Amino acid sequence: MKSFIRLLILVSFSAPVWSAETESVDTADVWLTRLSQSLKTLNFSTSFVVVKNNHAEPYHWFHGVDQQNVELEILSLLNGPRRDVLRKDKTISYIEPELPPYSILSSHLKGPIPNILSGEVATLMNSYNFISVGKSRILGRSAQIIRIVPKDSSKYGLWLWLDEKNSLLLKLAIVTKKGQQLEQIQFTHLDITETLAESLIQLQTTELPNVVDIPQGYQEQKLSWTVDWLPQGFKQINANRHRISATKQPVEFMLFGDGLVDVSVYVTKSKEQQRAVDFVMDGATVALNQVVNGFEVSVVGKIPSVTAKKIADSVTLLPRPAS
């Protein structure tokens, strides 16, 4: 069972030195706005490692804007089989060893760094507080520390270390309410240039794979169940029926998010009538699984296990329509 839960996960430090914590919402807002602008407008090349469970995943990330104001990005996982994510404006291409190359239409590529940091961060203010807590030193650079703190205990918080000169991200940590670090992104180098990196120049002339044709309404299917409880700020993003690629097992799937965190919920029929809750943790990501009344419910996301259990318990089967 734990191997199935881990499959769902795949499918979907130095102590800082800061001044006494003082809440300064306006200052934090300004820093986050600068971060968003820098991530969208600067030409940079950077490397970072995602550290979780005493394991490090290294990445290389290029970003740039060409003379036609088109954003270009390359995100590469450096260990194991080669995995690249390419972006030209609103076309995102995925190059993975297990699947044929494909493209989708989107303004943001999927990666370890939350997309909202290059978007409208202010949309999080109903569910999170932004707090500026002082300064530290990362990569030999002076850094401003910003905390994104959830307004309730159903979610984790983020600590951000931003370069004081250009507001780019130097470090990110996912933390519990008590400040325990569950997952960390540590940047190991950062180069900012006036011109595009050579890799991005090559990307300009690269023919990307065809865009996947998603049938109209595929992501808005009516399923046989609903989720009656979600953390504050979460909304349904899509709902569909598909098969898990590795096992071909059919599942019904809903994706929820609050802009910062995504949570996947899977429901499928089970040969068992009941089974106690089981879960595994992968850094900040929990994959929780349980069987109730012959249906298997799995919840996967960067949320506390208590929150995942509450979501799973709120799954309600809808009555069958009268024939």
Side-chain angles (χ1 to χ4, degrees):
M1 178 48 56
K2 290 192 175 182
S3 61
F4 173 72
I5 297 175
R6 288 193 174 94
L7 175 63
L8 293 182
I9 292 178
L10 292 174
V11 172
S12 332
F13 35 24
S14 58
V17 178
W18 59 69
S19 59
E21 181 172 324
T22 57
E23 189 165 334
S24 177
V25 174
D26 289 342
T27 300
D29 285 352
V30 169
W31 278 102
L32 290 172
T33 299
R34 290 173 182 165
L35 167 64
S36 176
Q37 289 300 311
S38 294
L39 289 174
K40 289 185 291 189
T41 61
L42 293 182
N43 299 323
F44 60 81
S45 166
T46 185
S47 297
F48 62 85
V49 291
V50 179
V51 182
K52 53 185 177 180
N53 301 340
N54 297 318
H55 174 71
E57 293 179 342
Y59 290 83
H60 204 163
W61 182 20
F62 295 93
H63 178 274
V65 181
D66 68 15
Q67 294 181 342
Q68 285 71 46
N69 224 25
V70 172
E71 281 190 75
L72 303 164
E73 281 185 278
I74 300 174
L75 179 66
S76 301
L77 178 61
L78 301 182
N79 280 0
R82 183 70 182 265
R83 285 181 168 85
D84 295 316
V85 186
L86 315 176
R87 176 186 171 210
K88 284 187 185 181
D89 195 21
K90 295 183 179 180
T91 300
I92 312 292
S93 299
Y94 293 88
I95 316 297
E96 304 178 42
E98 300 91 348
L99 298 169
Y102 66 97
S103 300
I104 62 171
L105 296 178
S106 176
S107 298
H108 300 280
L109 55 78
K110 283 283 188 180
I113 298 169
N115 290 332
I116 193 68
L117 296 183
S118 60
E120 298 295 330
V121 186
T123 59
L124 300 175
M125 294 188 70
N126 289 334
S127 304
Y128 297 86
N129 292 315
F130 303 156
I131 303 172
S132 176
V133 297
K135 298 181 181 180
S136 184
R137 184 173 166 82
I138 304 291
L139 276 181
R141 300 167 181 257
S142 180
Q144 179 70 35
I145 306 171
I146 302 295
R147 292 184 181 179
I148 300 178
V149 182
K151 293 184 177 180
D152 60 47
S153 60
S154 66
K155 291 167 281 192
Y156 295 132
L158 287 187
W159 293 1
L160 309 175
W161 286 256
L162 306 182
D163 190 307
E164 283 208 313
K165 184 176 181 181
N166 53 54
S167 302
L168 280 175
L169 192 62
L170 298 176
K171 182 178 174 181
L172 178 153
I174 302 175
V175 300
T176 67
K177 187 177 181 180
K178 295 182 179 180
Q180 176 190 2
Q181 296 195 24
L182 301 174
E183 196 167 308
Q184 180 177 287
I185 296 176
Q186 173 71 63
F187 285 72
T188 55
H189 98 272
L190 173 63
D191 292 328
I192 300 172
T193 59
E194 292 294 327
T195 58
L196 293 175
E198 182 61 34
S199 296
L200 296 180
I201 294 174
Q202 294 177 12
L203 176 60
Q204 286 180 300
T205 58
T206 299
E207 184 175 349
L208 298 181
N210 292 333
V211 173
V212 174
D213 183 19
I214 300 176
Q216 186 175 2
Y218 176 77
Q219 303 287 20
E220 301 171 358
Q221 297 182 43
K222 291 183 178 181
L223 305 183
S224 60
W225 49 277
T226 184
V227 175
D228 293 334
W229 182 87
L230 291 166
Q232 180 183 355
F234 274 71
K235 298 178 181 178
Q236 182 178 314
I237 298 173
N238 65 50
N240 64 60
R241 296 178 180 87
H242 64 266
R243 293 181 181 271
I244 298 175
S245 59
T247 65
K248 306 303 180 183
Q249 181 179 2
V251 296
E252 292 191 346
F253 164 79
M254 286 189 188
L255 179 66
F256 304 92
D258 67 351
L260 186 63
V261 180
D262 289 342
V263 174
S264 300
V265 181
Y266 303 83
V267 175
T268 187
K269 288 184 179 180
S270 174
K271 295 180 180 179
E272 302 174 87
Q273 192 63 20
Q274 300 284 135
R275 188 173 65 238
V277 63
D278 188 14
F279 71 91
V280 295
M281 297 294 300
D282 181 32
T285 300
V286 63
L288 181 144
N289 181 276
Q290 65 183 29
V291 176
V292 178
N293 297 327
F295 284 86
E296 186 169 356
V297 178
S298 300
V299 179
V300 181
K302 292 183 184 295
I303 52 175
S305 58
V306 173
T307 303
K309 181 66 166 69
K310 195 170 180 179
I311 293 173
D313 288 344
S314 79
V315 171
T316 302
L317 296 178
L318 298 174
R320 293 182 179 179
S323 57

